Each structure stands twice: as C-alpha cells, then as structure tokens.
C-alpha cells in the first residue's frame, strides 16, 4: 500500500492526475479494487457470500448443499457445514459472528454454530423453497422469505415460527431487518416492496413503482433511512421509503434473470456494489450514480457481492460455470 | 272337514255349506264359529282352519310345524304326519318363500280378515297357496306351478321373502336358500370349517340391490378351497386388493343408474369364455381357476383348485407384478391430479427425481461391451457397472497418484501466507490459559478458607457452656406476638419459630429432587455435592451436601453443646470471642456453621464451574487448530493468491 501511494503522489507531481492537491478527494472518486484471492472449493454454483460482522470469516453457501467458512483476510479454508438435503439459497450471520442461518430448497432453514460446525436447529414450516434469510440485530429472531409467498419470523432459541406474514402474491426474493430491528422489508417477484413492523407484523408501507418489474433484492441502508431495491429490469434504485420517493437509480449492469445481491460499501468511499449477469462486479458512486469500477475475473454470472464490515474488501461469487469466490481489495 | 276335507276341491264348498245355516260369515274350526281374529292353523289336507285355542296349539308351536294335519285327517289317513321344521331351515325357508312365492295381496280372496294374519299363521300359506293354485276363487294373478310342488315346499311361513335394509327380497341372491360353501364368506363360516371372523352371508346370497358393494359376488372372491396354510402368499392379498377397485367401478356405475349395478354383478357368472370384459384392475386368478368356476365347478368340492398349488410358484411373480403394477397405477393417478395444482417447478423437480430413480435401472441393463474404461492409471479394463474403476486397487492407485501430485502444491500454497485463524487460535489459547490459572488460585484460596472454617468450628465446640443474661432477656420478649411461618403459613410461637421454619422448609424442599445422571468425580474436592443416588429417577443429588434438606438430617443437639459462633463487633470485626449460649437456646446464631460452610462450598463450586468452562473452550480451539489444513481440506479446497505481496488483507492499523 505504501508503494502505491508514493506512486500516486509522484504522478500527481508530474501533473498527470487531476486535482492532485487533495489526495483524499482523488481517493474518494474511484476505488482500485484488485483481485487478491480466488477461493476454490465448491462443486456447484455458489449462491451467496457474506462476511461475518467481526470481519474474520467469510461464509459461502452453494448449490452443492454445503456452507464453507473461509478466513476473510487470508482466504484460507476453515471448515464445511454439512446438513442440508438440497441446494442452499442464502446464508446470514448473527451479530456476534457465532451463528449462521441458511435457507435451502429443502424447505427448511438451519441454524449453525460456527465454532463447532454443528447444526443447532432446523426451522421447518415453509411449504416451498426458502429463498432468503436474515438475523435481526439482537440476533434473537430470524426472518425468512420463501417461494410459498410468505415471510416467516422465527425465534432462534426455540426454533419456533412466531409469525407468518402473508406478504406477497409471488415468491419472496429478499428480506431484511433495519439497523434497530424494528422494521422488516420484503421484496418479491410481484414487484411490490413492503415494510413491516417487526413487533406486530403489521404492514406499514407498500412501495410500488409505475410499472412493477419483479424485485430481485431489497436491503436497508446502514443508517436505516433508505432502501436499496434491485429489479429485474437492469436497475438498482435507492428509495427514501418514508417519503416514498426514488432518489437514485443505478444502471449499466445486466440483471434480468437472477436475484443478485447488492451492497453498500461504507468502509472507504461510499459505493454501491453489485454483481451482474455479464460476469462483472459493478461499483457505482453512491452520490453521482456513475460506474466507478468494473471488476473482471469471473466466468459466469456474479450472483453475490459482499463488502467487509471494516476493511475495503469485496467478496464476489459466481454461478455454476465458475464456482469460485474472489476476494478483491482496494486502498480506498 | 268330514267329507270335504279330503277332497282337494275348493274349500269354499265347505264354507258355503256353512252358510246354509243362514249366516253369511264363514265358520271354521271344531267350534264352528266364524271368529277369525285369533290365531288359526290350517290343515294341509282338508284345508279347514282351526283356532289355535280350540285345538291347543299356540302360535309359537305352530312356527315349528312344517306340515300340519287336523286330527280327523290324521285319523283317517295314517300316512299323514305332522312334520316339524329344523331350526335353521325354518329361517331359510321363510326367506326363500319371500322370493319364490308371490305375495298374498289378500284383496281379492274370499277369505277376508285372515289375510293380515295370514303371514303369521303357520300352515296358512300353503293352504292359501294351494287355493290360489286352483285359482278359481281368487283373482290373484300368480303363477301357480311353483307353488304346488312337493310337500317339502309347503312352508308354513308366508311365501313372501322378508325384506330388510340389506335385502330387497326379490333378486336372485335374495331368493337363494343355501350357501354355496365355496366363496370366501362361506369358507369362513363355522359350518364350513372356518374361523368365523368375517361373519357375512354367502357371496351368492348377498342382495344384488342392497348389499354392500364389497360383499357382493365377484368371480375373484371365489378362491380355491385349499386351507389357508397351504395358500400361496401372493394369492391371499389379492382379494383385498381387488375388492376396492371393482367396487369403485361398480360404485361409479351406480351413480349413473342403479339398475346397471345389478346387471354388472350378474354379468361375471355369465361371462365364461372371455375374461376380458372384466377390467384390468380386476386381477383375475389363474385361467384354470376361472374356467373351473365358470363351468359351474364350485359344486365340485375343490378338486380342480387343489391342483393349483403346484402351479403357484410359476404364477406368483406374474401375479405379484401385476399386483404391484396396480398399486403404481393408483399412485400415479393421484400424482397426476396433484401436479395440475402444483407449480411448474415442483412438477419438474418430481420428474427429475423420477428420472434419477430410473437411471440405476438403465445402468443395470447395460451390457459389458458398452461399459466405460476403468479410470485407474494405465488400466485398460472395463469398469465395474455402477463404478468408475475395474477394481479397488485401481481406485486406490488413482487416489494415491492424485495426492502425490496435488498435495505438495497445496501445502506450499497454504504455507505461503501465515494463517490468520491460527494466530487467532494461539492468542485465544493463551488467554484461556491465563484464566485457568487465575481460577486455580481462587480455588486454592477457597480451600484455605474451608479449612479455616472447620478449625473455627472445632475450636468453638470445645468451649464450655455458660449461661448468660442475654438468654433470659430473649425469653421474656415476644411471647405474645405470633409469627407466621413463611413455608406453611401457620402461626407459630416466636421462640420456636426458627426451628419450625427450618424444618418446614426442609420438608417442602425434600419433596423435589435436584440431580444429574453423573456422580461427582472431582479430584481434590473434599465435600461438595450431596451425591446421594435416587434409584427412581436414576440421578445423583446435586445439592450442596451441607445444605441438602432431603438427604442430610441435622444431628440432634446435645444439651451441653455450646453455640460457638465467633462474635463480631460492628459486623466485620472479629472479637475473638465465641457465643457461649447452649446451642439449643441460641436464636441469634441459629445453624451458623451450616450457613458458613455452605457459603464456602458455593464459592468452590463456582470456581469449579469456571474451570470447566475454560477447559471446554480450550478443547474447542485445540480441535479447530489440529483439524485445520487436514488432508481432505487441502485436497478439496484451494486458495489462489494473485498478488504475492499481499498475504493479509488487513490494513496495517489492525495488525
């Protein structure tokens, strides 16, 4: 890293780079993610990658019915969690980084203890593939969305389903808690995004755009005020949900078929990171909406891109032709 | 009667003669009265009617009579005898008569009132029947011939076959009188040597209209007469399998037209030469059996069927296969209904699973020539079916080669960069070590206190008793007030309050048990847990031994024992002095040594728990460290480093 900065400074002196007076400003304009590690090990398409909240581990779920834990900083293989009978669609960490929840096509979710590698509980209740899952910030609840068009809230301790929200009229593609755990957002193929009160299960708001393309991914922003909604018309939108207005739109990537994860990158510059069906990872500037970098290296659809909680690290995973996870690092 | 009785001329003549007397009502019996409102019995010879009262025959007796002749006829013709009926045949006869003989409308007959009673009267039927046969008197349109047959048919019960919920009384089956003896229901009957478990009427006698569908006659239900032990196994399930399906079929037919049902049932007996008309689900038995049946062979007692046992092995697989096939047909039908309602994806998934099941069959069917080549190094033999190798050796050789080639490279890759998880693990282990050490020192401290306490107690016991003014003071107070016990709620004298509450608490607490399956095995711990074994719940009591209300009883306090509690000034300062009151009287320091001991023991227990926890943590970390970078892990996973300079993605600040 030291060498790079020196190089930049020299280039600035030579007048090759604009606005050399303020290196910070330059740094915040574009990231320079470079490929550092390729993690090989899955035998089928990888469906999701997530960094642990303490930044030490990377969990990846795959269609080969296992979850693999890798070291986040060195990319080294740590362990494998076996137990599901069918493909796994999503995995999520608890806030203390000691537990994982995974959602699978075998209609169940499993709660894992990472340290021992054992499955602690199996959550049964959905009547079709479970597609997405998440912990709430206190990590005493799990929320799951499924192809049976419902969203279920589970209690971690007992494994029982506390509430079922008959949320949508099409498969639910994403569920997420906000940073305080009081709100739930759910998006579905029916083009409707709903915000629910976590305590009562009441639907507080419904966000529908003019035309309603299927929603493939939704997420709260880190401060809980905005929603990032990805739709299957090659568009990512940033919504202010309290006012019900779309603030920013990010395009340029390809997303018409798969539910591709998108993320806020806040460790360095403020970016929006998303995979794409043209095998690239797209990074947009959050404010200016322009594409600041495209990461090349995968040989299949990049289904998931995750941002490290403290470092400028991005992990990306691709589908069946590729089956690898790539770790990228940037200076800013 | 006299002359008219023996004459098979219309008995009306006899009656008419009576009417010459000037009364229009016909008269009967030896009493020559026209009364017909009581039970009457008719002579089968002279056809005269007699009151039961007059000749002393009750209705009940008459029921047992099949043929009855009046005294005069009997005297005249000694050949005539009263014939009684067999108990069972009486019922059968009555059934048969229901179907076979036409009902007496009674409307068109000359004899008026006897008609409703006719059904109940013994002997009336035949008399009337005979009368009807001659037909002149009554306009009853019935076919005479079958009625005037042999005396054995002169049933005294009505010719009408009784109708009931399950018998229409008119169909062929209802009219049958005898059990066939060969159907499954008959063979179950006691009289045919069966265990009487099924307890149903003969198949051929199940009413075609009203009987339960599954009881009705089907050719398949007629199984060979061979005793159950020698029945080959596949045959036995067959009747149960087939019944529901044909009955379903019939049931469906029934929905359309009720009449068709009876015809459908009648059809099988007639469909002799061609078994095809029966549905495929109607698994017919082996052709021999069927033909035998159709030839009316179930009158022959079982001989043709006996021979089938030899053929049974040959037939079993065929039958079994067909039986299995039927099951699949049913299941597939159900499945196809479900598919229409389910999503497309699930439909596809189900097919995928089915395909997966089919594949092994196909593999089995391969011939050796088309098997792929074994994957062993240098091996050109064909692989075993269902495997990639020709033998275990080849597989092992290939695996070994793989390991030799790939493993060194992977190990080198692994060691290129320091494993961060290892470092973390090591740090964690160190931390655990330190905590364990501090826990151990605490433990030693506790032990010391424990010994100290014991010494104090011992010393205190050696003190002599000394009465004090204090004790008297304590006694004079509080005699009027009443304290309520916290456990049982009863009011108690304050003087004995402490003791009572102690015992009361112990009583309630000892009703529950608190234990675990394992006895305590801690080295170096003298007295911690009670550890008394409870055989009922198979647990060891895990309360503190000094405190356990269930298992340790307070020893009786001798009168001269001194309290011995170390006295303190201002709560914390030890004066060095001891309470000299006799133990029995001292209320201020009641049970002090028990409580202090318990305090120390509890601390010790806490430290042990902590040590246990730390031990567990250490074990986890150690296993994680040893299992890291194992052979399987290295072979199956790989981390490719693209930037040789960057082995650790952490920014320098964190390192």
């Amino acid at each position: 890293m030291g060498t790079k900065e020196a190089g930049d400074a020299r280039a600035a002196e030579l007048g090759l780079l604009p606005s050399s007076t303020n290196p910070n400003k330059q740094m915040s304009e574009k990231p320079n993610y470079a490929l550092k590690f390729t993690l090989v090990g899955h035998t089928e398409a990888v469906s999701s990658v997530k960094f642990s909240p303490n930044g030490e581990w990377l969990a990846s779920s795959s269609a080969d019915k296992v979850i693999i834990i890798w070291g986040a900083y060195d990319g080294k293989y740590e362990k494998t969690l076996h137990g599901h009978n069918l493909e796994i669609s999503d995995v999520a960490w608890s806030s203390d980084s000691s537990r994982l929840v995974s959602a699978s096509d075998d209609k169940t979710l499993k709660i894992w203890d990472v340290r021992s590698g054992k499955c602690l509980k199996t959550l049964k209740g959905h009547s079709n593939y479970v597609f997405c899952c998440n912990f709430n910030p206190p990590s005493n609840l799990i929320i799951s969305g499924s192809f049976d068009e419902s969203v279920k809230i589970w209690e971690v301790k007992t494994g029982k389903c506390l509430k079922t929200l008959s949320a949508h009229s099409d498969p639910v593609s994403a569920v997420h808690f906000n940073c305080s755990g009081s709100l739930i957002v759910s998006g579905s193929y029916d083009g409707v995004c709903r915000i629910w009160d976590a305590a009562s299960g009441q639907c507080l708001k419904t966000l529908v755009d003019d035309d309603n393309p299927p929603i493939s991914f939704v997420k709260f922003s880190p401060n809980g005020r905005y929603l990032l909604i990805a739709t299957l018309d090659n568009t990512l939108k940033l919504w202010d949900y309290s006012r019900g207005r779309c603030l920013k739109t990010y395009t340029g990537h390809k997303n018409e078929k798969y539910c591709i994860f998108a993320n806020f990158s806040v460790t360095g510059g403020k970016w929006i990171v998303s995979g794409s069906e043209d095998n690239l990872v797209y990074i947009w500037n959050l404010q200016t909406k322009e594409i600041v970098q495209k990461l090349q290296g995968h040989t299949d659809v990049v289904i998931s891109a995750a941002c490290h909680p403290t470092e400028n690290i991005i992990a990306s995973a691709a589908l069946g032709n590729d089956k690898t996870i790539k770790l990228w690092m940037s200076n800013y | 009667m006299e002359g008219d009785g023996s004459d098979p001329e219309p008995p009306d003549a006899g009656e008419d003669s009576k009417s010459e007397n000037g009364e229009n009502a016909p008269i009967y019996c030896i009493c020559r009265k026209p009364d017909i409102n009581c039970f009457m019995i008719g002579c089968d010879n002279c056809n005269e009617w007699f009151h039961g009262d007059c000749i002393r025959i009750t209705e009940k007796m008459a029921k047992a009579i099949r043929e009855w002749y009046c005294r005069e006829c009997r005297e005249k013709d000694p050949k005539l005898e009263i014939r009684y009926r067999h108990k069972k045949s009486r019922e059968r006869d009555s059934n048969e008569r229901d179907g076979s003989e036409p009902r007496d409308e009674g409307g068109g007959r000359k004899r008026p009132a006897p008609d409703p009673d006719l059904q109940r009267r013994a002997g009336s039927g035949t008399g009337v029947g005979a009368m009807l046969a001659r037909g002149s008197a009554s306009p009853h349109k019935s076919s005479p011939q079958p009625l005037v047959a042999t005396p054995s048919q002169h049933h005294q019960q009505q010719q009408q076959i009784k109708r009931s919920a399950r018998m229409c009384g008119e169909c062929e089956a209802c009219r049958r009188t005898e059990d066939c003896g060969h159907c499954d229901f008959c063979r179950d009957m006691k009289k045919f040597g069966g265990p009487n478990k099924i307890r149903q009427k003969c198949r051929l006698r199940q009413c075609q209209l009203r009987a339960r569908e599954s009881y009705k006659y089907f050719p398949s239900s007629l199984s060979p007469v061979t005793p159950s032990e020698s029945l080959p196994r596949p045959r036995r399930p067959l009747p149960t399998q087939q019944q529901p399906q044909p009955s379903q079929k019939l049931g469906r037919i029934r929905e359309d037209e009720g009449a068709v049902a009876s015809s459908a049932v009648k059809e099988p007996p007639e469909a002799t030469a061609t078994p095809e008309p029966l549905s495929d689900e109607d698994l017919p038995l082996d052709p021999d059996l069927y033909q035998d049946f159709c030839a009316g062979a179930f009158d022959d007692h079982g001989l043709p069927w006996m021979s089938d046992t030899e053929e049974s092995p040959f037939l079993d697989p065929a039958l079994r296969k067909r039986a299995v096939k039927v099951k699949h047909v049913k299941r597939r039908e159900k499945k196809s209904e479900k598919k229409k309602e389910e999503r497309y994806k699930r439909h596809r998934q189900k097919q995928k699973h089915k395909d997966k099941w089919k594949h092994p069959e196909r593999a089995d069917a391969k011939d050796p020539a088309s098997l792929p080549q074994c994957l062993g190094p240098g091996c050109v033999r064909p692989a075993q079916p269902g495997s990639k190798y020709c033998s275990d050796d080849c597989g092992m050789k290939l695996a070994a080669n793989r390991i030799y080639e790939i493993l060194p490279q992977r190990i080198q890759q692994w060691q290129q960069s320091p494993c961060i998880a290892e470092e973390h693990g090591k740090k964690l282990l160190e931390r655990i070590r330190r905590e364990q050490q501090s826990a151990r020192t605490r433990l030693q401290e506790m032990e010391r206190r424990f010994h100290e306490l014991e010494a104090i107690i011992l010393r205190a016991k050696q003190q002599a008793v000394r009465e004090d003014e204090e004790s008297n003071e304590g006694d004079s107070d509080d005699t009027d007030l009443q304290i309520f016990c916290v456990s049982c709620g009863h009011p108690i004298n304050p003087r004995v309050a402490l003791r009572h509450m102690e015992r009361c608490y112990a009583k309630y607490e000892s009703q529950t048990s608190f234990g675990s399956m394992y006895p305590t095995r801690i080295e170096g711990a003298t007295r911690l847990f009670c550890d008394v074994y409870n055989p009922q719940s198979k647990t060891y009591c895990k309360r503190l031994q000094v405190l356990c209300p269930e298992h340790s009883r307070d020893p009786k306090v001798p009168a001269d024992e001194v309290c011995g509690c170390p006295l303190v000034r201002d709560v914390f300062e030890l004066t060095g002095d001891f309470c000299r009151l006799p133990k029995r009287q001292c209320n201020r320091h009641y049970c002090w040594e028990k409580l202090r001991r318990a305090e120390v023991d509890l601390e010790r227990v806490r430290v042990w728990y902590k040590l246990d926890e730390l031990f567990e943590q250490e074990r986890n970390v150690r296993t994680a460290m040893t299992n890291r970078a194992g052979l399987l892990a290295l072979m199956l996973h790989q981390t490719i480093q693209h930037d040789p300079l960057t082995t650790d993605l952490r920014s320098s600040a964190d390192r």
Side-chain angles (χ1 to χ4, degrees), chain A residues 36 38 40 75-76 78 149, chain B residues 343 414 638-640 642-643:
Chain A
K36 297 294 176 192
T38 300
V40 182
K76 289 202 199 286
E78 179 67 20
E149 301 161 13
Chain B
R343 290 174 164 273
W414 183 272
Q638 189 189 16
T639 304
I640 303 169
H642 298 278
D643 181 0

Side-chain angles (χ1 to χ4, degrees), chain B residues 150-216:
Chain B
T150 58
S152 64
Q153 280 194 359
H154 288 200
H155 304 294
Q156 295 189 330
Q157 288 234 359
Q158 19 76 316
Q159 61 252 37
Q160 177 177 342
I161 298 170
K162 198 167 167 214
R163 272 170 31 161
S164 75
R166 290 285 179 196
M167 287 183 63
C168 68
E170 287 169 349
C171 63
E172 183 64 45
C174 288
R175 289 206 212 121
R176 286 183 67 90
T177 58
E178 288 169 359
D179 299 325
C180 72
H182 293 116
C183 66
D184 51 352
F185 289 159
C186 281
R187 282 186 294 118
D188 169 73
M189 295 183 194
K190 277 257 184 264
K191 70 177 180 185
F192 293 116
N196 198 30
K197 285 191 179 163
I198 308 176
R199 292 189 270 236
Q200 298 297 332
K201 282 196 299 192
C202 167
R203 284 263 177 193
L204 299 175
R205 298 182 66 195
Q206 296 282 349
C207 174
Q208 285 155 5
L209 201 62
R210 294 191 182 186
R212 287 190 200 279
E213 298 299 324
S214 58
Y215 289 172
K216 287 188 190 164

